[in-house]
Structures are given as C-alpha cells and as structure tokens.
Amino acid sequence: MSEREVLESLRENARYSTADIARMTDLDESEVDAVIEELEDAGVICGYQPVVDWDKLEDERVRAEVELNVRLDRETGYGDIAERLARFPQVTALRLVSGDYDFDMEVEGDSIREVSQFVSEKVAPVPEITQTVTHYVMTSYKENGIELGNGDEDDRLSFSP
C-alpha cells in the first residue's frame, strides 16, 4: 500500500473519488479510504483547497510575496516568530528559507493599500523583524503544480508604493 501514490493522486486532483484513486493505485477502495483516514488523523493531509486563477475573476485580489529578515535572541526562536505571524488571516503561507532572508511569507488582501498597511502596521513592528521586502504578484502562471491562463501576455505595469 503506497501512501505516496495516494498523496500524489490527491495533489493532482483532490476531487478524485476513492474509486478513481483505487484504479490508479491498484488498491481496493477500502484500502484507499484507510490510507486517507490515517493521513488525515496523522496531520499529513491538513486540508483540501482549490487552485484559483484569480485573474479570471472580476473581484480584485492582491497577493504579495514578502521577504522577512529577523534577529533572534535567547528567548525567541524561528518557531515563536512563525507562530505569531501565521495567526494573521492575511498570511496564506509562511516558510523558513535558506538564503538572503529568513522567512518567505505569502499575503493576500483586497487592495495594494490593504496589503501594504498589513505589512507596515502588523508585520514590520514585530520586534524581531529587522527588514521586510514586498513583491506584489502581477500574474500567476502556475500554482500548486497547475498551469493557469494562457501565459502569452506581458501586461506588467510599473509600480511604486
């Protein structure tokens, strides 16, 4: 029984039925159900979400990637900072990364102003955060392994906050 095969099937399309996954993995439906239940109970599968092409909706949704540099002290670790930031509903993803900065944070809001205010009023004042760099997403061509839109247009505009 392959947990990885079941997970890969769900990542490809979380709407696959148990019967679909059983056919793709050569498992019985009951085995697939058991694997999924075990993975959910263990916290390996944390949820099911659609991949949305926001450019195809009329409602504007502003997304940004924010680089964060932090300074740790004896009482505060990366996990403490991450726990504090992850509580904000505007934060859609938060990762500790290697390289020139410490955290990669994805943020969403209804406008550039909303995202900018969130970063400047809620994130930057966190005492351990020493620097933020915000990159606004202009167009997404691929999300969670799924290609979006047609990708032929370059409609970037110059932007200064």
Side-chain angles (χ1 to χ4, degrees):
M1 175 167 28
S2 174
E3 291 178 347
R4 181 167 298 293
E5 287 180 303
V6 172
L7 285 171
E8 287 174 1
S9 296
L10 288 171
R11 285 196 65 202
E12 180 181 313
N13 185 347
R15 294 186 67 180
Y16 280 147
S17 69
T18 304
D20 293 334
I21 296 171
R23 275 192 304 279
M24 291 186 282
T25 60
D26 292 326
L27 299 172
D28 293 333
E29 286 186 49
S30 61
E31 289 176 305
V32 172
D33 279 331
V35 168
I36 292 172
E37 186 174 340
E38 287 173 18
L39 293 170
E40 289 173 343
D41 290 346
V44 175
I45 296 176
C46 300
Y48 301 88
Q49 295 182 342
V51 176
V52 178
D53 187 345
W54 291 104
D55 293 339
K56 293 189 176 180
L57 294 175
E58 290 184 23
D59 294 338
E60 181 181 0
R61 192 76 181 150
V62 175
R63 293 173 297 135
E65 298 283 333
V66 184
E67 300 173 8
L68 302 174
N69 282 315
V70 301
R71 182 174 321 132
L72 303 178
D73 58 36
R74 291 177 183 238
E75 293 82 35
T76 308
Y78 290 117
D80 299 316
I81 297 166
E83 186 177 313
R84 182 172 179 182
L85 294 172
R87 288 188 180 132
F88 290 110
Q90 296 91 335
V91 176
T92 58
L94 180 64
R95 300 171 192 91
L96 181 64
V97 297
S98 63
D100 293 334
Y101 52 96
D102 300 305
F103 285 101
D104 176 44
M105 182 173 68
E106 294 179 17
V107 178
E108 286 188 1
D110 290 331
S111 67
I112 290 174
R113 173 172 285 194
E114 182 181 309
V115 170
S116 296
Q117 284 179 328
F118 169 70
V119 172
S120 65
E121 296 174 8
K122 300 293 185 185
V123 176
V126 172
E128 295 82 10
I129 294 178
T130 60
Q131 181 183 25
T132 67
V133 177
T134 304
H135 304 274
Y136 289 95
V137 176
M138 305 302 281
T139 300
S140 287
Y141 298 101
K142 189 172 187 176
E143 294 281 344
N144 294 341
I146 298 174
E147 290 186 47
L148 308 174
N150 61 16
D152 292 337
E153 299 175 28
D154 183 359
D155 57 355
R156 294 178 288 175
L157 300 175
S158 180
F159 172 75
S160 300

